[in-house]
Amino acid sequence: MRFVLASQSPARLQTLRSAGVEPEVIVSGVDEDNVTAESPGELARLLATLKARAVVAELDDHATVLGCDSVLEIDGVAYGKPGTPEVARERLRAMRGKSGVLHTGHCLFDTESKTELRELASTTVYFADLTDDEIDAYVATGEPLVVAGSFTVDGIGGPFVTGIEGDYHNVVGLSLPLVRTMLAQVGIAWPSLWAPPKNRLDYNESEAARYDETRGGVERAQAAARAVAELLPPGSQRVLELAVGTGIVGAELVALGNLVHGFDLSTAMLQHAKIRLPGHIAAADATRLPVADRRTDAVIAIWLLHLLDDSTPILAEVARILRPGGVFLTTTEKNDATRYAEGREPNTTRAQDSLTRLVADAATHGLVLDGATTFPGPTRPNGNAPLYPLIRFRRT
């Protein structure tokens, strides 16, 4: 199933990940500042609903979308993100030594059943009697400026929370028990979200048929091909593309005057690639290529390494087939480029396509970084476009 989190909050994403769930994140773009409601709790629930609906409106296939928003209530007043140091400092001084109620609105929209559920979870939070120096130091960290109520319980602000009554995870950003119950109401068992993901390098025919459209189409393929052509050495005679997919990038490279051979493991993808690159594709594992040692001028891997559990075998195989002076071109930092464009924080895990990892691992196989460029991806809902790095290693 496609499970989407309609929130840019790193804390909500990490809460789900810690519970064994890896959601797809789509930022809603809802302007929270101009939304009002009768009570702080209703405001949280309304904002969550608006986030979920905004993301659902962008989808063209079935998904279960979870929108969340948190509001802190103290003495009947709602407190969202303070935005400035002055407001954060004022709020923390008003909160110290008191208790408040952290409301988190949850909206679950299942597009297949067209069911929308709207729920609210509320947790009482007790705050320490902070000194002015503690407040100034905390505000200087920047953390309270971007979180509801000007505090976190799972971050730097944790020592300033003396106790809670209710669900701890709700204070972090979403109530796991409540989400579990809501999913059950639309027929989704929570443990089903734990199921190991299918091989991310395999695709059925339905996925292959819509792959190009969901990845930016011809426009992004042309941008990628132009970037590749920029880094290819003049006179490259034998160019191999790993994970050629539908052949959309390879075809654009051919249009630029290159001879491209593509390899992929997905039968469904190859059915599309053979139309674009007739006679120049084959089913093959990128770690065991049917190519002789040192026979290849250039190897290309576009949006492949970030999908792997271990990129090292790919680097070793590339080094084997490249002639001395041959090049390996690969995208890097793919997920972080997308996250930055969506206004989210970088991933805390070390991706297989991270630049530092690739440079270190490639060096052990005689591949030395000697070139780089970028190309743009499709515009995100917030108006920003990710800028994807493409790097070049040369075989020594």
Side-chain angles (χ1 to χ4, degrees), residues 122-348:
S122 302
T123 304
T124 301
V125 184
Y126 296 90
F127 300 104
D129 190 5
L130 280 69
T131 66
D132 286 346
D133 287 344
E134 287 175 321
I135 290 174
D136 290 341
Y138 185 35
V139 171
T141 68
E143 181 181 87
L145 277 64
V146 294
V147 291
S150 309
F151 80 99
T152 65
V153 70
D154 60 329
I156 300 173
F160 305 140
V161 176
T162 60
I164 64 172
E165 292 179 5
D167 179 8
Y168 166 85
H169 295 106
N170 187 58
V171 182
V172 177
L174 62 82
S175 172
L176 290 173
L178 179 57
V179 173
R180 168 185 165 272
T181 301
M182 296 172 76
L183 285 167
Q185 292 181 58
V186 294
I188 300 172
W190 179 261
S192 69
L193 300 181
W194 299 338
K198 77 180 194 66
N199 186 342
R200 290 173 293 174
L201 301 179
D202 194 15
Y203 299 85
N204 60 35
E205 177 51 39
S206 174
E207 293 168 321
R210 61 187 180 88
Y211 184 86
D212 294 344
E213 179 184 353
T214 59
R215 301 305 195 279
V218 172
E219 183 178 358
R220 189 166 80 157
Q222 290 174 336
R226 287 192 295 268
V228 169
E230 179 183 335
L231 294 182
L232 280 175
S236 296
Q237 297 297 312
R238 185 164 184 157
V239 179
L240 305 185
E241 184 179 0
L242 308 182
V244 68
T246 64
I248 189 170
V249 174
E252 295 299 330
L253 283 170
V254 171
L256 294 174
N258 300 282
L259 178 61
V260 179
H261 306 272
F263 296 106
D264 207 297
L265 279 175
S266 170
T267 301
M269 288 291 208
L270 290 174
Q271 291 299 316
H272 293 266
K274 72 179 184 181
I275 298 173
R276 289 185 167 125
L277 301 170
H280 293 277
I281 62 163
D285 186 331
T287 64
R288 296 188 296 275
L289 294 168
V291 180
D293 294 356
R294 303 192 173 198
R295 292 291 186 86
T296 304
D297 295 314
V299 179
I300 304 165
I302 305 296
W303 304 303
L304 168 63
L305 300 187
H306 72 286
L307 297 173
L308 304 177
D309 294 324
D310 185 4
S311 59
T312 304
I314 300 285
L315 296 174
E317 185 69 349
V318 167
R320 179 186 70 80
I321 67 173
L322 278 178
R323 61 168 178 78
V327 297
F328 174 46
L329 311 183
T330 182
T331 46
T332 181
E333 312 286 2
K334 192 266 184 187
N335 287 336
D336 275 350
T338 300
R339 294 171 72 89
Y340 288 137
E342 293 176 346
R344 295 185 284 144
E345 295 295 318
N347 200 341
T348 57

